[in-house]
Amino acid sequence: MSQIMLTIIVLKTAILLLGGGITYIAYRAHRRTGAPSLRALAIGFGIITFGALLGGIADQVFNVGFATGVAIDNFLTMLGFAIITYSLYIER
């Protein structure tokens, strides 16, 4: 395994752990308060985290190619940020 591939795997793992933690905290806050904005925030971060995971899996496991994996990751990151932006405008 090349050094760059190992670096990508380590970084994707860190993204998964940190993103999963943020998603969990936002979800717990939603459950505690019932605020729809916190639910949307949790969904947005969850999609971003899932995108990083899916992009890496697509490249490494399904062998779709690095560029396709990056495109999947970028699309889900964009979608997650759109949902996070929406969460900032939801009124209770």
Side-chain angles (χ1 to χ4, degrees):
M1 179 180 306
S2 71
Q3 184 66 32
I4 192 69
M5 293 308 289
L6 181 60
T7 301
I8 290 171
I9 290 169
V10 167
L11 291 172
K12 291 289 186 182
T13 302
I15 290 168
L16 180 62
L17 294 173
L18 292 169
I22 292 169
T23 302
Y24 177 70
I25 291 167
Y27 176 73
R28 278 188 31 203
H30 160 67
R31 292 287 305 252
R32 187 174 57 251
T33 65
S37 61
L38 291 173
R39 180 183 59 234
L41 183 68
I43 290 168
F45 275 112
I47 288 173
I48 291 170
T49 303
F50 179 69
L53 176 67
L54 186 60
I57 288 173
D59 177 39
Q60 294 295 314
V61 176
F62 298 117
N63 202 25
V64 297
F66 182 74
T68 302
V70 170
I72 291 168
D73 184 4
N74 287 342
F75 172 74
L76 290 173
T77 298
M78 179 274 310
L79 181 62
F81 279 132
I83 293 170
I84 289 170
T85 302
Y86 170 75
S87 80
L88 297 173
Y89 289 100
I90 293 177
E91 295 197 26
R92 187 156 190 170

